[in-house]
Amino acid sequence: MCGIVGAVAQRNVVPVLLQGLLRLEYRGYDSAGLVVVNHNQLERVVSTGRVAELSEKTIHTSGHLGIAHTRWATHGVPSERNAHPHISSGQIAVAHNGIIENYEELRTRLSAQGYTFASDTDTEVIAHLIHSHYARGISLLGATQAALAELVGAYAIGVVAADNPQQLIGARKGSPLLLGVGEIEHFIASDASALLQVTKNMVYLEEGDVVEVGLHGYRIFNAQGEAAQRPVHVSELTNESVELGEYRHYMQKEIHEQPQALANTLESVCNSQSLIPGIFGAEAAATFADIDSILILACGTSNHAGQVARYWLEEIAGIPCNVEIASEYRYRVSVVNPKTLVVTISQSGETADTMAALNHAKSIGHLHTLSICNVPESALVRASKLRMLTRAGPEIGVASTKAFTTQLAALFLLTLILAKQRGRLSQEAEQKHLHDLRHLPAAAQAVLNLEPQIAELAKHFADKHHALFLGRGLHYPIALEGALKLKEISYIHAEAYPAGELKHGPLALVDQDMPVIAVAPNDALLEKLKSNLQEVRARGGELYVFADADTRIHSSDGVHRMQMPEHAGYLSPILHTIPLQLLAYYVALQKGTDVDKPRNLAKSVTVE
Ligand code: F6R
């Protein structure tokens, strides 16, 4: 969480910093702030509002060197005093993303040395630590390296000094940071989207790297303090891909981008005549031949994708599969089977719990790792032996949408490839699945055409405080995902249950004020689901059913049926997700919440 931008240039960098922060606001939006260096002084401007408010406060601010920050609060409430950057002794300013675990101990020590703390943050200790070294005449680079050596925890930082008007220091460990290379100007940022406005040439810093950035160049040092070379990548991101365009919100845009995102993710497969393990990496064939089970680790929406995959993997590929919440797995004592493939799923590739779960799995003896991720150079991708990149493009809305459906597409490919390798996929079945995958983007587009009807339906939820989602089998995780989407952006309390579980407790909640949303594909469990829906109707519950055309479920008193255009077999969970995303979106509009930036949340959860 939190976003950082820094710039050193021959022009006023304030517009660059503000534009960068706007792009990074998805990472946290509790407060925003910047520091510029001017005439040997640090000028700090902060705001507890959004970046737009910071912009208004900085109309008279300018400078050729600066750092900026958008915050997701961890230590200390959102307030101006806790907003970054933090300053030590009027000399050193630091913007930080991450958590310093030993900050209390450092704070006590620094206080004893005479430093006074102006905030409740863990970050301020970094500023004072760097200052304590800098004041002894050490260079800014050396002082930062010395301070970092004392920190326990995760950080990406940007550092400037009042008397050093052409130098910026960046460092990362556990949180992302990259360098943007321009002509006689250089930048740092938490992600590439923040710098597209000024350059496409990006250098991804590695764990433990520290970079000294000047007008004319930069020097990178690795965790051991040795000079290091890192390749310059030309970013494939376009400005268009991170702009809102014709849409009202990023979430709406990203829901609509799903047909293209699915087509992009499936491109290599759909253009070929057969499925090959190579799409997961050069070592995939050998690894897949050596495994006898799968363990999926992920959080939130990505975990729901894993839960769908479990049904596919066991049924189609015949491989035992467990799915665990990453934050639980990392602290659980578990039994290691070295023939397990550990699959981590993450949109961002920087979720702290997922990353820690992967590291934990490796540390206890798991050998085979695969990540499914939307960010190519992310920590998770780099830490995994095998990888499959979803090609959803940047996802900016905090609620994950296109990342989820493309994760499902990638997991379905994994299932088919494992099934094929195990002799469980006939040539005919392979061709049929390939045909269905090629058709998937068009099928997703057809579901999007339900948007006006769903917008109408959403009005029924305007005065509701609770909702129950039901699904069975493959679609139970889709019910979970529908409930998560609704709760996080509309703040309606929503629960999801496997429909067969209703009678074991949750049915007690059902009355006319409890809307019940059912995911009803025409699959083997349809008749069972229908019986469960009768149980709801019999208790006066209002039903909202997303039903395939051939389910013979019709609208009637207390039953609102939304007809899905077609039944997609195994791929049905992907299609059934889309109307639930739209429902959450339009209910949030009814409620007037901040759709793209729901309260208390952030896009990348880089803290525990
Ligand atoms: C919900 C949502 C979160 C994320 C979770 C994991 O809409 O977006 O639940 O899915 O924080 O994030 P990633 O996928 O980046 O690891």
Side-chain angles (χ1 to χ4, degrees):
M1 351 275 267
C2 301
I4 297 175
V5 204
V8 52
Q10 287 176 316
R11 54 173 153 166
N12 176 16
V13 296
V14 171
V16 176
L17 298 178
L18 291 170
Q19 179 65 20
L21 284 190
L22 269 181
R23 292 272 183 259
L24 295 176
E25 224 178 3
Y26 73 90
R27 301 176 66 86
Y29 31 85
D30 288 330
S31 63
L34 60 78
V35 158
V36 286
V37 178
N38 251 329
H39 307 297
N40 281 354
Q41 303 239 317
L42 299 176
E43 185 182 350
R44 175 177 183 260
V45 188
V46 295
S47 156
T48 49
R50 298 280 163 85
V51 174
E53 201 179 298
L54 182 70
S55 297
E56 281 168 25
K57 290 176 100 174
T58 49
I59 36 179
H60 300 302
T61 309
S62 72
H64 294 178
L65 170 67
I67 50 175
H69 185 268
T70 177
R71 177 170 188 245
W72 186 80
T74 57
H75 295 68
V77 295
S79 64
E80 291 203 351
R81 65 192 290 269
N82 288 332
H84 297 218
H86 290 286
I87 294 183
S88 176
S89 314
Q91 281 299 305
I92 299 288
V94 174
H96 166 224
N97 168 27
I99 287 189
I100 303 307
E101 290 166 19
N102 60 337
Y103 88 102
E104 278 176 337
E105 173 195 325
L106 291 169
R107 193 176 167 119
T108 310
R109 199 183 86 202
L110 288 160
S111 298
Q113 285 174 24
Y115 284 101
T116 48
F117 282 78
S119 77
D120 310 313
T121 64
D122 52 341
T123 303
E124 202 181 343
V125 299
I126 310 178
H128 292 317
L129 260 184
I130 296 175
H131 180 266
S132 68
H133 296 291
Y134 194 60
R136 290 191 286 120
I138 302 175
S139 69
L140 188 57
L141 172 71
T144 305
Q145 284 170 317
L148 295 179
E150 296 181 68
L151 301 181
V152 177
Y155 56 77
I157 56 168
V159 187
V160 291
D163 59 358
N164 210 340
Q166 291 194 345
Q167 198 178 72
L168 170 64
I169 305 291
R172 66 151 292 190
K173 187 176 153 216
S175 300
L177 194 72
L178 54 80
L179 174 75
V181 181
E183 277 185 27
I184 326 185
E185 53 183 16
H186 291 89
F187 313 90
I188 56 169
S190 300
D191 81 22
S193 70
L195 299 184
L196 283 181
Q197 46 159 337
V198 280
T199 182
K200 285 197 152 224
N201 298 327
M202 313 285 175
V203 177
Y204 293 91
L205 297 181
E206 295 192 1
E207 277 295 276
D209 278 358
V210 180
V211 61
E212 183 188 60
V213 190
L215 269 181
H216 299 279
Y218 57 89
R219 295 192 297 157
I220 299 175
F221 301 88
N222 65 18
Q224 288 71 44
E226 298 151 349
Q229 300 294 324
R230 308 282 178 235
V232 180
H233 294 265
V234 180
S235 174
E236 286 174 15
L237 276 182
T238 59
N239 258 320
E240 206 178 51
S241 66
V242 291
E243 270 161 16
L244 205 46
E246 69 197 83
Y247 295 98
R248 202 166 152 193
H249 294 98
Y250 281 106
M251 182 178 180
Q252 187 192 26
K253 175 179 186 241
E254 288 156 9
I255 290 173
H256 279 271
E257 282 172 347
Q258 288 178 108
Q260 191 57 52
L262 287 165
N264 291 346
T265 301
L266 295 168
E267 188 182 278
S268 59
V269 175
C270 291
N271 287 341
S272 75
Q273 288 313 306
S274 72
L275 292 155
I276 47 158
I279 57 167
F280 290 95
E283 295 169 62
T287 304
F288 292 168
D290 192 43
I291 60 161
D292 64 10
S293 60
I294 292 193
L295 169 63
I296 297 182
L297 303 170
C299 304
T301 288
S302 297
N303 181 279
H304 295 158
Q307 293 196 44
V308 174
R310 180 160 70 112
Y311 288 89
W312 284 333
L313 285 160
E314 298 217 347
E315 184 172 328
I316 305 173
I319 302 182
C321 176
N322 275 321
V323 186
E324 291 211 33
I325 299 277
S327 56
E328 285 297 309
Y329 174 78
R330 62 183 288 193
Y331 292 117
R332 189 170 81 73
V333 177
S334 52
V335 178
V336 177
N337 167 7
K339 286 192 173 295
T340 297
L341 175 66
V342 177
V343 179
T344 48
I345 309 170
S346 174
Q347 186 283 129
S348 60
E350 57 170 294
T351 301
D353 285 320
T354 309
M355 197 59 221
L358 173 60
N359 287 336
H360 174 69
K362 293 203 287 195
S363 75
I364 59 176
H366 282 290
L367 307 170
H368 304 310
T369 54
L370 160 67
S371 70
I372 291 177
C373 189
N374 198 37
V375 179
E377 289 297 324
S378 61
L380 197 73
V381 169
R382 287 205 299 256
S384 306
K385 207 161 104 183
L386 306 177
R387 78 231 15 216
M388 161 109 196
L389 294 176
T390 49
R391 294 175 58 197
E395 193 180 64
I396 291 164
V398 163
S400 192
T401 52
K402 59 179 180 170
F404 177 68
T405 44
T406 53
Q407 285 167 353
L408 288 178
L411 287 159
F412 192 66
L413 293 180
L414 177 67
T415 305
L416 295 183
I417 285 165
L418 288 171
K420 185 173 173 183
Q421 207 173 29
R422 281 163 163 68
R424 289 176 66 104
L425 195 69
S426 67
Q427 221 176 34
E428 200 185 347
E430 180 178 358
Q431 291 312 313
K432 163 87 174 75
H433 286 305
L434 280 171
H435 170 271
D436 291 349
L437 285 167
R438 284 185 197 111
H439 175 62
L440 187 61
Q445 189 58 55
V447 181
L448 285 168
N449 296 337
L450 295 176
E451 186 169 12
Q453 293 170 58
I454 295 174
E456 274 306 303
L457 198 73
K459 293 181 181 158
H460 295 229
F461 291 76
D463 60 345
K464 295 288 184 279
H465 299 288
H466 307 274
L468 203 56
F469 284 71
L470 301 178
R472 292 199 75 141
L474 261 183
H475 294 80
Y476 163 52
I478 300 308
L480 286 170
E481 177 58 10
L484 179 61
K485 289 288 94 95
L486 188 69
K487 77 180 99 172
E488 72 181 318
I489 62 163
S490 76
Y491 315 149
I492 290 180
H493 168 229
E495 298 278 349
Y497 278 94
E501 189 65 9
L502 254 196
K503 56 190 174 294
H504 299 290
L507 200 53
L509 292 170
V510 171
D511 62 13
Q512 63 280 7
D513 291 326
M514 173 68 91
V516 178
I517 297 120
V519 187
N522 188 0
D523 63 11
L525 291 167
L526 176 65
E527 292 311 318
K528 305 276 178 211
L529 178 75
K530 281 182 175 176
S531 308
N532 303 139
L533 299 187
Q534 288 305 328
E535 294 161 12
V536 172
R537 248 341 263 146
R539 272 84 188 171
E542 195 93 354
L543 280 167
Y544 297 85
V545 189
F546 291 89
D548 288 350
D550 46 4
T551 51
R552 296 185 313 283
I553 296 175
H554 304 287
S555 290
S556 58
D557 190 27
V559 182
H560 309 265
R561 187 204 55 172
M562 194 59 53
Q563 186 177 308
M564 295 290 286
E566 60 185 288
H567 178 60
Y570 280 119
L571 295 174
S572 168
I574 298 179
L575 298 188
H576 267 275
T577 301
I578 297 171
L580 301 187
Q581 296 168 340
L582 286 168
L583 181 67
Y585 174 72
Y586 280 100
V587 174
L589 291 193
Q590 290 291 322
K591 294 269 186 188
T593 55
D594 190 343
V595 172
D596 284 332
K597 299 186 183 79
R599 67 185 180 202
N600 307 337
L601 300 180
K603 183 76 185 158
S604 292
V605 189
T606 55
V607 297
E608 248 199 275

